[in-house]
Amino acid sequence: MRRVPARSATTAAAALLMLSGALTACASPQGGDSGADEKAVAEICPTADTEGTIKIGMSAPLAVFAPLLLGVETGAFGEAGLDVQIEKLPSAESLPLVARGQLDAQMTSLSSSHFNTLKDGVDVRWIVPMDDQQEIPPGTPVPGYWSHKDVVGSAASPDLTKLKGGDISTPTGGTGVSGLILDNALEKVGLGINDIKLSPPLVGPDALNALANGAVSAAWISAPLEVEAAKNPDLVPIAGYAPGVTGTAVMAGRTLLDRPEVAVKFTQVLSQVTTKYLDGDYRKNAETVRLLAAAEEVDASTIEDSALLSFDPTFSMDGTEKFADELQAFALERGELEYEKPLDSADLIDTRITEAAATCDSAVK
């Protein structure tokens, strides 16, 4: 069984314990008293009159959140009768607020904390996925792990065995999706996450600077900083998201789960803006570039030079349960969870919202 190195395990365990305590204190039974969970897909269709406020926690305006950002930036939610309010908070801070009903949802990545909420009986469920990762050629500048040419060699064929024993920075100290991506990449060359040294977590420009100056052998470079990393001829991308589900998710709390019609209409707006602005190579659409640059608070050139993301306007939940199962298994092996036997990941997922958004008559003009 793989275990977290001591210097990372202490930090991760402490964070999970604090979060668990906060969640347990406000836990509600799985399934609310409103009867909303018992409604079939055909019973949660919105109408033109469906309206409401949705408060969403989001750490930063990231490229992978583009449909949500565009819905806000274009005023599409307001035109549909929805008041979508974004609160910029780290995911670890917003999750307890969702559990307490002070926020309706998170725009985040699926994590160990969400599995612990399931174990504690707290109503937080994955209702909408975001980006759909496509197959990309090796060496393509994308968000993910980057290293040095003098460590792993060329971008087209990096030798990850050279990372053995090296210091690698992950944004979460080796936990969650970023830890799973690193472990999967190392597994292909007969290594694992225990074969490297996890440096203190670095994010944003700090991660890029540490990588550039040789403080670490590899680091997770998040969007849109892969554009800057690609400008450095000594840096090469080595591992990123596998094709398919990435774990980027709208995680809804009880206050939104009890209003499924509002959640469906919200999803229909996401679908509308995705079809209008994110079809094909949206980086060549001047209007999309302008809107995304404003929403992500970056220069237009950053949008034009960044990796092309793919968003399915149906927001199909296909593959989400498999992704959740794999992440839970990794978290269990790493000792990140408060339990030892896997839970049913399906209980963390509600597929009705996207199914209704696709099959109900559109309530969005």
Side-chain angles (χ1 to χ4, degrees), residues 28 40 51 59 63 120 166 172 195 203 207 329 351 355:
S28 60
E51 59 184 24
S59 60
D120 290 333
T172 59
D195 293 308
V203 296
T351 64
E355 289 174 9

Side-chain angles (χ1 to χ4, degrees), residues 2 14 21 41 50 58-59 117 123 131 142 165 168 173 185 199 202 207-208 218 223 234 242 253 256 321 326 344 361:
R2 292 170 290 180
V41 169
T50 300
M58 182 177 69
S59 60
T117 68
D123 285 336
D131 57 317
V142 293
I168 297 181
S199 72
L202 297 170
L208 181 56
D234 294 326
L256 184 55
E321 188 175 338
E326 292 174 353
D344 187 349
D361 291 337

